[in-house]
Short mmCIF file of all heavy atoms in Angstrom, two decimals:
data_model
loop_
_atom_site.label_atom_id
_atom_site.label_comp_id
_atom_site.label_asym_id
_atom_site.label_seq_id
_atom_site.Cartn_x
_atom_site.Cartn_y
_atom_site.Cartn_z
N MET A 1 -9.63 -5.59 6.64
CA MET A 1 -8.25 -5.40 7.10
C MET A 1 -8.05 -3.95 7.54
O MET A 1 -8.60 -3.02 6.98
CB MET A 1 -7.27 -5.74 6.01
CG MET A 1 -5.81 -5.53 6.36
SD MET A 1 -4.68 -6.11 5.09
CE MET A 1 -4.08 -7.62 5.90
N GLN A 2 -7.21 -3.82 8.56
CA GLN A 2 -6.95 -2.47 9.10
C GLN A 2 -5.65 -1.93 8.60
O GLN A 2 -4.69 -2.66 8.33
CB GLN A 2 -6.90 -2.61 10.61
CG GLN A 2 -6.75 -1.29 11.36
CD GLN A 2 -6.78 -1.50 12.86
OE1 GLN A 2 -7.68 -2.11 13.40
NE2 GLN A 2 -5.77 -0.99 13.54
N CYS A 3 -5.58 -0.61 8.47
CA CYS A 3 -4.37 0.02 8.03
C CYS A 3 -3.23 -0.27 9.00
O CYS A 3 -3.42 -0.30 10.21
CB CYS A 3 -4.56 1.53 7.89
SG CYS A 3 -3.08 2.43 7.52
N HIS A 4 -2.02 -0.45 8.46
CA HIS A 4 -0.86 -0.78 9.27
C HIS A 4 -0.43 0.42 10.14
O HIS A 4 0.20 0.26 11.13
CB HIS A 4 0.25 -1.25 8.35
CG HIS A 4 1.50 -1.68 9.05
ND1 HIS A 4 1.57 -2.77 9.83
CD2 HIS A 4 2.75 -1.10 9.12
CE1 HIS A 4 2.83 -2.91 10.33
NE2 HIS A 4 3.52 -1.93 9.91
N TYR A 5 -0.77 1.61 9.67
CA TYR A 5 -0.26 2.83 10.29
C TYR A 5 -1.27 3.57 11.13
O TYR A 5 -0.90 4.46 11.89
CB TYR A 5 0.28 3.76 9.19
CG TYR A 5 1.45 3.15 8.44
CD1 TYR A 5 1.23 2.60 7.20
CD2 TYR A 5 2.71 3.13 8.97
CE1 TYR A 5 2.30 2.01 6.50
CE2 TYR A 5 3.75 2.55 8.29
CZ TYR A 5 3.54 2.00 7.03
OH TYR A 5 4.57 1.44 6.37
N CYS A 6 -2.54 3.25 10.97
CA CYS A 6 -3.55 3.93 11.75
C CYS A 6 -4.72 2.97 11.94
O CYS A 6 -4.64 1.82 11.55
CB CYS A 6 -3.99 5.25 11.08
SG CYS A 6 -4.86 4.98 9.52
N ASP A 7 -5.82 3.44 12.48
CA ASP A 7 -6.93 2.58 12.84
C ASP A 7 -8.01 2.55 11.75
O ASP A 7 -9.07 1.93 11.96
CB ASP A 7 -7.57 3.08 14.15
CG ASP A 7 -6.66 2.80 15.34
OD1 ASP A 7 -5.84 1.87 15.19
OD2 ASP A 7 -6.75 3.49 16.33
N ARG A 8 -7.73 3.18 10.63
CA ARG A 8 -8.74 3.20 9.59
C ARG A 8 -8.80 1.87 8.84
O ARG A 8 -7.85 1.09 8.89
CB ARG A 8 -8.45 4.34 8.62
CG ARG A 8 -8.71 5.69 9.21
CD ARG A 8 -8.24 6.79 8.30
NE ARG A 8 -8.97 6.74 6.99
CZ ARG A 8 -8.64 7.52 5.96
NH1 ARG A 8 -7.67 8.40 6.07
NH2 ARG A 8 -9.29 7.42 4.83
N GLU A 9 -9.91 1.70 8.16
CA GLU A 9 -10.05 0.53 7.29
C GLU A 9 -9.07 0.64 6.13
O GLU A 9 -8.93 1.68 5.51
CB GLU A 9 -11.47 0.47 6.78
CG GLU A 9 -11.76 -0.72 5.87
CD GLU A 9 -11.87 -2.02 6.65
OE1 GLU A 9 -11.97 -2.01 7.87
OE2 GLU A 9 -11.89 -3.09 6.01
N ALA A 10 -8.38 -0.45 5.86
CA ALA A 10 -7.39 -0.43 4.77
C ALA A 10 -8.09 -0.44 3.42
O ALA A 10 -9.04 -1.20 3.19
CB ALA A 10 -6.48 -1.63 4.91
N ALA A 11 -7.62 0.41 2.52
CA ALA A 11 -8.15 0.44 1.18
C ALA A 11 -7.35 -0.53 0.28
O ALA A 11 -7.85 -0.96 -0.74
CB ALA A 11 -8.09 1.83 0.63
N VAL A 12 -6.15 -0.81 0.71
CA VAL A 12 -5.24 -1.63 -0.10
C VAL A 12 -4.53 -2.66 0.80
O VAL A 12 -4.14 -2.32 1.91
CB VAL A 12 -4.17 -0.74 -0.77
CG1 VAL A 12 -3.23 -1.57 -1.62
CG2 VAL A 12 -4.80 0.35 -1.60
N ALA A 13 -4.40 -3.86 0.32
CA ALA A 13 -3.55 -4.85 0.98
C ALA A 13 -2.37 -5.18 0.15
O ALA A 13 -2.51 -5.52 -1.01
CB ALA A 13 -4.40 -6.09 1.30
N VAL A 14 -1.23 -5.02 0.71
CA VAL A 14 0.02 -5.27 -0.02
C VAL A 14 0.70 -6.49 0.59
O VAL A 14 0.85 -6.58 1.80
CB VAL A 14 0.96 -4.05 0.05
CG1 VAL A 14 2.20 -4.30 -0.74
CG2 VAL A 14 0.25 -2.80 -0.38
N GLU A 15 1.08 -7.41 -0.28
CA GLU A 15 1.82 -8.58 0.26
C GLU A 15 3.18 -8.64 -0.35
O GLU A 15 3.38 -8.56 -1.56
CB GLU A 15 1.01 -9.85 -0.09
CG GLU A 15 1.56 -11.04 0.68
CD GLU A 15 0.63 -12.24 0.55
OE1 GLU A 15 -0.47 -12.12 0.00
OE2 GLU A 15 1.02 -13.33 1.00
N LYS A 16 4.18 -8.71 0.54
CA LYS A 16 5.55 -8.77 0.12
C LYS A 16 6.34 -9.65 1.08
O LYS A 16 6.27 -9.46 2.29
CB LYS A 16 6.10 -7.34 0.09
CG LYS A 16 7.55 -7.23 -0.37
CD LYS A 16 7.64 -7.49 -1.86
CE LYS A 16 9.09 -7.21 -2.36
NZ LYS A 16 9.22 -7.55 -3.77
N ASP A 17 7.10 -10.57 0.53
CA ASP A 17 7.90 -11.46 1.39
C ASP A 17 7.07 -12.13 2.47
O ASP A 17 7.48 -12.22 3.62
CB ASP A 17 9.07 -10.71 2.00
CG ASP A 17 10.02 -10.14 0.96
OD1 ASP A 17 10.06 -10.76 -0.13
OD2 ASP A 17 10.66 -9.16 1.19
N LEU A 18 5.89 -12.55 2.08
CA LEU A 18 4.98 -13.28 2.99
C LEU A 18 4.41 -12.44 4.12
O LEU A 18 3.76 -12.93 5.02
CB LEU A 18 5.69 -14.51 3.59
CG LEU A 18 6.18 -15.53 2.60
CD1 LEU A 18 6.86 -16.69 3.33
CD2 LEU A 18 5.03 -16.07 1.75
N VAL A 19 4.65 -11.13 4.05
CA VAL A 19 4.05 -10.24 5.03
C VAL A 19 2.98 -9.43 4.34
O VAL A 19 3.19 -8.76 3.36
CB VAL A 19 5.12 -9.27 5.62
CG1 VAL A 19 4.49 -8.31 6.60
CG2 VAL A 19 6.22 -10.06 6.28
N LYS A 20 1.77 -9.48 4.93
CA LYS A 20 0.65 -8.75 4.34
C LYS A 20 0.39 -7.51 5.14
O LYS A 20 0.24 -7.56 6.39
CB LYS A 20 -0.59 -9.61 4.34
CG LYS A 20 -1.56 -9.22 3.26
CD LYS A 20 -2.61 -10.32 3.04
CE LYS A 20 -3.43 -10.03 1.78
NZ LYS A 20 -4.41 -11.10 1.52
N VAL A 21 0.36 -6.39 4.47
CA VAL A 21 0.22 -5.09 5.13
C VAL A 21 -0.97 -4.33 4.53
O VAL A 21 -1.04 -4.21 3.31
CB VAL A 21 1.50 -4.21 4.97
CG1 VAL A 21 1.31 -2.88 5.59
CG2 VAL A 21 2.67 -4.93 5.59
N GLY A 22 -1.85 -3.88 5.40
CA GLY A 22 -2.98 -3.10 4.92
C GLY A 22 -2.64 -1.62 5.01
O GLY A 22 -2.02 -1.15 5.93
N LEU A 23 -3.14 -0.86 4.01
CA LEU A 23 -2.91 0.59 4.00
C LEU A 23 -4.20 1.30 3.67
O LEU A 23 -4.89 0.91 2.72
CB LEU A 23 -1.86 0.92 2.94
CG LEU A 23 -0.45 0.41 3.14
CD1 LEU A 23 0.38 0.72 1.92
CD2 LEU A 23 0.19 1.00 4.36
N CYS A 24 -4.52 2.32 4.42
CA CYS A 24 -5.64 3.16 4.04
C CYS A 24 -5.20 4.06 2.85
O CYS A 24 -4.01 4.06 2.50
CB CYS A 24 -6.10 4.04 5.21
SG CYS A 24 -4.91 5.27 5.70
N GLU A 25 -6.16 4.78 2.31
CA GLU A 25 -5.83 5.53 1.12
C GLU A 25 -4.73 6.57 1.39
O GLU A 25 -3.81 6.76 0.59
CB GLU A 25 -7.07 6.21 0.59
CG GLU A 25 -7.06 6.38 -0.92
CD GLU A 25 -8.45 6.74 -1.46
OE1 GLU A 25 -9.41 5.99 -1.11
OE2 GLU A 25 -8.56 7.71 -2.18
N ASP A 26 -4.87 7.28 2.50
CA ASP A 26 -3.90 8.30 2.85
C ASP A 26 -2.49 7.73 3.01
O ASP A 26 -1.54 8.24 2.49
CB ASP A 26 -4.31 8.98 4.17
CG ASP A 26 -5.46 9.92 3.99
OD1 ASP A 26 -5.80 10.18 2.81
OD2 ASP A 26 -5.98 10.43 4.97
N HIS A 27 -2.40 6.65 3.74
CA HIS A 27 -1.07 6.10 3.97
C HIS A 27 -0.56 5.38 2.76
O HIS A 27 0.66 5.28 2.58
CB HIS A 27 -1.13 5.12 5.19
CG HIS A 27 -1.11 5.88 6.49
ND1 HIS A 27 -2.13 5.81 7.41
CD2 HIS A 27 -0.16 6.66 7.02
CE1 HIS A 27 -1.80 6.57 8.44
NE2 HIS A 27 -0.61 7.11 8.24
N PHE A 28 -1.45 4.91 1.91
CA PHE A 28 -1.00 4.32 0.67
C PHE A 28 -0.31 5.38 -0.19
O PHE A 28 0.75 5.17 -0.76
CB PHE A 28 -2.14 3.70 -0.10
CG PHE A 28 -1.76 3.20 -1.43
CD1 PHE A 28 -0.89 2.13 -1.56
CD2 PHE A 28 -2.26 3.80 -2.60
CE1 PHE A 28 -0.51 1.64 -2.80
CE2 PHE A 28 -1.86 3.32 -3.85
CZ PHE A 28 -1.02 2.26 -3.95
N GLN A 29 -0.97 6.56 -0.26
CA GLN A 29 -0.37 7.65 -1.01
C GLN A 29 0.96 8.07 -0.38
O GLN A 29 1.93 8.38 -1.07
CB GLN A 29 -1.31 8.87 -1.05
CG GLN A 29 -2.60 8.62 -1.79
CD GLN A 29 -2.39 8.34 -3.28
OE1 GLN A 29 -1.33 8.65 -3.83
NE2 GLN A 29 -3.34 7.69 -3.92
N ASP A 30 1.01 8.03 0.96
CA ASP A 30 2.19 8.37 1.69
C ASP A 30 3.36 7.43 1.30
O ASP A 30 4.50 7.85 1.17
CB ASP A 30 1.93 8.14 3.20
CG ASP A 30 1.85 9.47 3.93
OD1 ASP A 30 1.67 10.48 3.27
OD2 ASP A 30 2.03 9.47 5.15
N ARG A 31 3.05 6.19 1.14
CA ARG A 31 4.04 5.15 0.94
C ARG A 31 4.32 4.87 -0.52
O ARG A 31 5.12 4.03 -0.85
CB ARG A 31 3.64 3.86 1.63
CG ARG A 31 3.46 4.01 3.12
CD ARG A 31 4.77 4.09 3.82
NE ARG A 31 4.63 4.86 5.03
CZ ARG A 31 5.64 5.13 5.86
NH1 ARG A 31 6.83 4.72 5.58
NH2 ARG A 31 5.43 5.87 6.91
N LEU A 32 3.59 5.57 -1.37
CA LEU A 32 3.61 5.23 -2.80
C LEU A 32 5.01 5.22 -3.33
O LEU A 32 5.44 4.32 -4.06
CB LEU A 32 2.71 6.20 -3.56
CG LEU A 32 2.19 5.69 -4.91
CD1 LEU A 32 1.45 4.37 -4.76
CD2 LEU A 32 1.26 6.70 -5.49
N GLU A 33 5.77 6.26 -2.99
CA GLU A 33 7.12 6.37 -3.50
C GLU A 33 7.98 5.23 -2.98
O GLU A 33 8.75 4.60 -3.70
CB GLU A 33 7.69 7.71 -3.07
CG GLU A 33 8.80 8.21 -3.95
CD GLU A 33 9.15 9.66 -3.65
OE1 GLU A 33 8.27 10.50 -3.62
OE2 GLU A 33 10.34 9.91 -3.37
N GLU A 34 7.85 5.00 -1.70
CA GLU A 34 8.63 3.94 -1.06
C GLU A 34 8.27 2.57 -1.65
O GLU A 34 9.12 1.74 -1.93
CB GLU A 34 8.34 3.97 0.43
CG GLU A 34 9.15 3.02 1.28
CD GLU A 34 8.76 3.12 2.74
OE1 GLU A 34 8.58 4.27 3.21
OE2 GLU A 34 8.55 2.09 3.37
N LEU A 35 6.99 2.39 -1.84
CA LEU A 35 6.56 1.10 -2.39
C LEU A 35 7.09 0.93 -3.80
O LEU A 35 7.50 -0.14 -4.21
CB LEU A 35 5.02 1.06 -2.42
CG LEU A 35 4.31 1.01 -1.09
CD1 LEU A 35 2.82 1.15 -1.26
CD2 LEU A 35 4.66 -0.28 -0.35
N SER A 36 7.06 2.03 -4.55
CA SER A 36 7.58 1.97 -5.91
C SER A 36 9.07 1.61 -5.92
O SER A 36 9.50 0.81 -6.71
CB SER A 36 7.36 3.31 -6.57
OG SER A 36 7.79 3.29 -7.90
N ASP A 37 9.82 2.21 -5.00
CA ASP A 37 11.25 1.93 -4.94
C ASP A 37 11.54 0.48 -4.61
O ASP A 37 12.46 -0.10 -5.11
CB ASP A 37 11.86 2.82 -3.84
CG ASP A 37 12.08 4.25 -4.32
OD1 ASP A 37 11.91 4.50 -5.52
OD2 ASP A 37 12.35 5.13 -3.48
N SER A 38 10.72 -0.06 -3.73
CA SER A 38 10.97 -1.42 -3.25
C SER A 38 10.34 -2.48 -4.18
O SER A 38 10.51 -3.66 -3.94
CB SER A 38 10.50 -1.59 -1.85
OG SER A 38 9.08 -1.40 -1.76
N GLY A 39 9.64 -2.02 -5.20
CA GLY A 39 9.13 -2.96 -6.16
C GLY A 39 7.70 -3.45 -5.84
O GLY A 39 7.20 -4.25 -6.58
N TRP A 40 7.16 -3.02 -4.73
CA TRP A 40 5.81 -3.49 -4.41
C TRP A 40 4.81 -3.08 -5.45
O TRP A 40 3.86 -3.79 -5.69
CB TRP A 40 5.39 -2.89 -3.06
CG TRP A 40 6.07 -3.50 -1.88
CD1 TRP A 40 7.34 -4.01 -1.85
CD2 TRP A 40 5.57 -3.56 -0.53
NE1 TRP A 40 7.61 -4.43 -0.57
CE2 TRP A 40 6.56 -4.16 0.25
CE3 TRP A 40 4.38 -3.20 0.05
CZ2 TRP A 40 6.38 -4.40 1.61
CZ3 TRP A 40 4.19 -3.42 1.40
CH2 TRP A 40 5.18 -4.03 2.16
N LEU A 41 5.05 -1.94 -6.01
CA LEU A 41 4.04 -1.39 -6.93
C LEU A 41 3.85 -2.25 -8.18
O LEU A 41 2.80 -2.28 -8.77
CB LEU A 41 4.49 0.02 -7.32
CG LEU A 41 3.31 0.98 -7.56
CD1 LEU A 41 2.44 1.09 -6.36
CD2 LEU A 41 3.86 2.35 -7.93
N ASP A 42 4.92 -2.96 -8.55
CA ASP A 42 4.80 -3.85 -9.71
C ASP A 42 3.67 -4.86 -9.50
O ASP A 42 2.92 -5.18 -10.40
CB ASP A 42 6.12 -4.60 -9.93
CG ASP A 42 7.22 -3.61 -10.34
OD1 ASP A 42 6.89 -2.56 -10.82
OD2 ASP A 42 8.38 -4.01 -10.20
N GLU A 43 3.60 -5.33 -8.29
CA GLU A 43 2.57 -6.38 -7.98
C GLU A 43 1.21 -5.71 -7.81
O GLU A 43 0.19 -6.32 -8.00
CB GLU A 43 2.94 -7.11 -6.68
CG GLU A 43 4.24 -7.87 -6.86
CD GLU A 43 4.79 -8.37 -5.53
OE1 GLU A 43 3.93 -8.71 -4.69
OE2 GLU A 43 5.98 -8.43 -5.36
N LEU A 44 1.21 -4.49 -7.36
CA LEU A 44 -0.03 -3.81 -7.05
C LEU A 44 -0.77 -3.32 -8.30
O LEU A 44 -2.00 -3.34 -8.32
CB LEU A 44 0.26 -2.56 -6.19
CG LEU A 44 0.35 -2.82 -4.68
CD1 LEU A 44 0.83 -1.53 -4.05
CD2 LEU A 44 -1.00 -3.22 -4.11
N GLN A 45 -0.04 -2.93 -9.27
CA GLN A 45 -0.64 -2.15 -10.30
C GLN A 45 -1.72 -2.91 -11.11
O GLN A 45 -2.61 -2.33 -11.68
CB GLN A 45 0.40 -1.59 -11.29
CG GLN A 45 0.50 -0.10 -11.11
CD GLN A 45 1.77 0.48 -11.67
OE1 GLN A 45 2.61 -0.20 -12.19
NE2 GLN A 45 1.92 1.79 -11.58
N GLY A 46 -1.61 -4.23 -11.09
CA GLY A 46 -2.63 -5.02 -11.77
C GLY A 46 -3.96 -4.98 -11.05
O GLY A 46 -5.00 -5.18 -11.66
N GLU A 47 -3.93 -4.68 -9.73
CA GLU A 47 -5.16 -4.73 -8.97
C GLU A 47 -5.74 -3.38 -8.64
O GLU A 47 -6.84 -3.26 -8.14
CB GLU A 47 -4.85 -5.43 -7.62
CG GLU A 47 -4.23 -6.81 -7.83
CD GLU A 47 -3.66 -7.33 -6.53
OE1 GLU A 47 -4.16 -6.95 -5.48
OE2 GLU A 47 -2.66 -8.07 -6.56
N LEU A 48 -4.99 -2.35 -8.91
CA LEU A 48 -5.37 -1.02 -8.48
C LEU A 48 -5.60 -0.06 -9.61
O LEU A 48 -4.98 -0.17 -10.66
CB LEU A 48 -4.32 -0.41 -7.58
CG LEU A 48 -4.18 -1.00 -6.15
CD1 LEU A 48 -3.02 -0.36 -5.51
CD2 LEU A 48 -5.43 -0.75 -5.38
N ASP A 49 -6.47 0.89 -9.40
CA ASP A 49 -6.61 2.04 -10.30
C ASP A 49 -5.80 3.18 -9.71
O ASP A 49 -6.28 3.93 -8.86
CB ASP A 49 -8.06 2.46 -10.46
CG ASP A 49 -8.80 1.45 -11.29
OD1 ASP A 49 -8.20 0.83 -12.19
OD2 ASP A 49 -10.00 1.23 -11.01
N VAL A 50 -4.58 3.32 -10.13
CA VAL A 50 -3.73 4.39 -9.67
C VAL A 50 -3.55 5.41 -10.77
O VAL A 50 -3.04 5.11 -11.85
CB VAL A 50 -2.34 3.88 -9.22
CG1 VAL A 50 -1.49 5.03 -8.74
CG2 VAL A 50 -2.50 2.83 -8.14
N ASP A 51 -4.04 6.59 -10.49
CA ASP A 51 -4.13 7.59 -11.56
C ASP A 51 -2.92 8.52 -11.60
O ASP A 51 -2.92 9.44 -12.36
CB ASP A 51 -5.40 8.44 -11.39
CG ASP A 51 -6.59 7.64 -11.81
OD1 ASP A 51 -6.48 6.74 -12.65
OD2 ASP A 51 -7.71 7.92 -11.26
N ARG A 52 -1.99 8.31 -10.69
CA ARG A 52 -0.85 9.21 -10.69
C ARG A 52 0.47 8.48 -10.78
O ARG A 52 0.51 7.30 -10.68
CB ARG A 52 -0.89 10.12 -9.52
CG ARG A 52 -1.06 9.40 -8.20
CD ARG A 52 -1.11 10.40 -7.05
NE ARG A 52 -2.50 10.76 -6.68
CZ ARG A 52 -2.79 11.63 -5.72
NH1 ARG A 52 -1.85 12.29 -5.15
NH2 ARG A 52 -4.03 11.89 -5.39
ZN1 ZN B 1 -3.58 4.67 7.57
#
C-alpha cells in the first residue's frame, strides 16, 4: 500500500469508517496527534509498536 500523502510505501494502514488509508512513517508521525484526537489510535495501538 502507498502512503496517502506521498509516493512512499506505507508503513501503516489505518482503517476508519470503511476508508483505508496508508501512511508512511513520516506522515504517520505527522498525523499522530490528529489520529489520536479522532480515536484512530485506539484501533492502531494493538497492531503497532509506538514508543512515544
Ligand atoms: Zn507519506
Side-chain angles (χ1 to χ4, degrees):
M1 177 174 255
Q2 186 177 306
C3 175
H4 182 68
Y5 298 100
C6 68
D7 290 335
R8 289 173 61 186
E9 180 75 12
V12 180
V14 183
E15 193 168 352
K16 181 72 173 177
D17 298 333
L18 300 179
V19 178
K20 205 164 191 180
V21 177
L23 296 172
C24 68
E25 210 165 310
D26 285 352
H27 280 118
F28 175 67
Q29 295 297 340
D30 251 20
R31 299 286 150 182
L32 202 55
E33 205 170 305
E34 184 181 317
L35 292 174
S36 181
D37 283 349
S38 62
W40 287 28
L41 212 58
D42 293 339
E43 298 168 32
L44 275 172
Q45 251 162 359
E47 305 165 29
L48 287 176
D49 288 327
V50 180
D51 286 333
R52 52 181 95 181

